[in-house]
């Protein structure tokens, strides 16, 4: 996990490369997904991850066949990804309950890092809305020695986000659609 991260980036420019990089609590590498900075609103920073982007973690890599929009919130213990209708598994929203979310400047853009705390809030057209990976959270709580306060904070964050997703309260309502549209228009004009 990189050091010297800041809570919010300086002023990124629309189109800047943003590499979303997740880590596990023990410092092991997790997901890496590149995208393009689209802008910010009162919810946070929006990053467009287009079809054709390389999505990778140790032991698995693929080229996405769907568009995604990643939201890095101004505050909160989570990172959200919104998927378009092309997602092969029917995902629409996938929220990684996370901690230590921070930005750093890299040579040609930005890197946003987070520590993935296993719990995920999912909205799927196939399986509905639910918290996923509770078993992994329990296992890692013991294996990695999560402090009791961290366990409580992550469970509280998951329950809170679950409620927001169920109620379709923003940013889990329709706001991501506007950011998708904006990104696609910009992409078509390049």
């Amino acid at each position: 996990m990189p050091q010297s991260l800041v809570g919010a980036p300086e002023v990124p420019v629309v189109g800047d490369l943003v590499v979303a990089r997740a880590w596990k609590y023990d410092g092991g590498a997790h997901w890496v997904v590149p995208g393009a900075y689209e802008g910010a609103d009162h919810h946070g920073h929006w990053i467009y991850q287009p079809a054709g982007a390389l999505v990778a973690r140790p032991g698995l890599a693929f080229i996405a066949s769907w568009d995604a929009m990643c939201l890095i919130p101004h505050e909160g213990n989570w990172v959200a990804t919104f998927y378009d209708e092309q997602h092969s598994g029917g995902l629409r929203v996938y929220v990684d309950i996370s901690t230590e979310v921070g930005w750093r400047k890299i040579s040609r853009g930005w890197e946003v890092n987070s520590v993935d705390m296993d719990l995920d809030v999912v909205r799927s057209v196939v399986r509905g809305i639910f918290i996923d990976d509770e078993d992994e959270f329990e296992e890692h709580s013991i294996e990695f020695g999560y402090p009791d306060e961290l366990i409580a904070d992550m469970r509280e964050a998951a329950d809170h986000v679950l409620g927001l997703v169920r109620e379709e309260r923003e940013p889990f309502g329709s706001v991501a659609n506007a950011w998708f549209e904006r990104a696609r228009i910009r992409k078509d004009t390049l």
Side-chain angles (χ1 to χ4, degrees):
M1 177 77 188
Q3 303 300 313
S4 304
L5 301 177
V6 295
E10 296 164 18
V11 183
V13 175
V14 171
D16 276 357
L17 170 69
V18 178
V19 178
R21 185 180 303 274
W23 303 85
K24 290 310 240 177
Y25 188 80
D26 69 348
H30 197 39
W31 288 106
V32 176
V33 185
Y37 188 79
E38 283 304 317
D41 61 13
H42 64 281
H43 300 295
H45 297 274
W46 295 88
I47 303 158
Y48 180 54
Q49 298 167 332
L54 174 67
V55 178
R57 71 175 188 198
L60 176 66
F62 61 91
I63 302 298
S65 58
W66 52 80
D67 288 343
M69 188 64 68
C70 181
L71 172 60
I72 309 300
H74 293 300
E75 58 183 47
N77 288 322
W78 52 269
V79 172
T81 306
F82 301 83
Y83 296 93
D84 72 4
E85 62 283 346
Q86 299 303 312
H87 189 278
S88 58
L91 284 178
R92 292 299 174 266
V93 177
Y94 197 95
V95 184
D96 292 294
I97 303 304
S98 303
T99 188
E100 299 183 45
V101 178
W103 295 76
R104 74 176 180 167
K105 185 84 170 115
I106 56 176
S107 63
R108 293 198 173 126
W110 297 89
E111 183 178 80
V112 61
N113 289 269
S114 62
V115 175
D116 179 298
M117 295 302 298
D118 312 314
L119 296 172
D120 305 301
V121 177
V122 179
R123 179 190 297 150
S124 162
V125 296
V126 177
R127 296 182 54 203
I129 299 169
F130 58 98
I131 295 177
D132 199 16
D133 292 334
E134 291 188 83
D135 55 341
E136 182 180 352
F137 183 71
E138 292 296 327
E139 290 168 17
H140 286 169
S141 293
I142 296 165
E143 181 181 344
F144 299 152
Y146 296 168
D148 291 342
E149 184 176 346
L150 180 62
I151 292 170
D153 289 348
M154 296 302 101
R155 288 200 176 280
E156 181 180 331
D159 290 341
H160 176 71
V161 171
L162 179 66
L164 296 175
V165 172
R166 279 190 176 143
E167 296 169 14
E168 296 187 9
R169 291 185 46 207
E170 299 298 2
F172 304 107
S174 62
V175 69
N177 295 335
W179 285 99
F180 269 120
E181 184 63 25
R182 177 179 168 156
R184 289 174 178 146
I185 289 170
R186 190 177 65 75
K187 182 177 154 186
D188 289 344
T189 61
L190 295 178

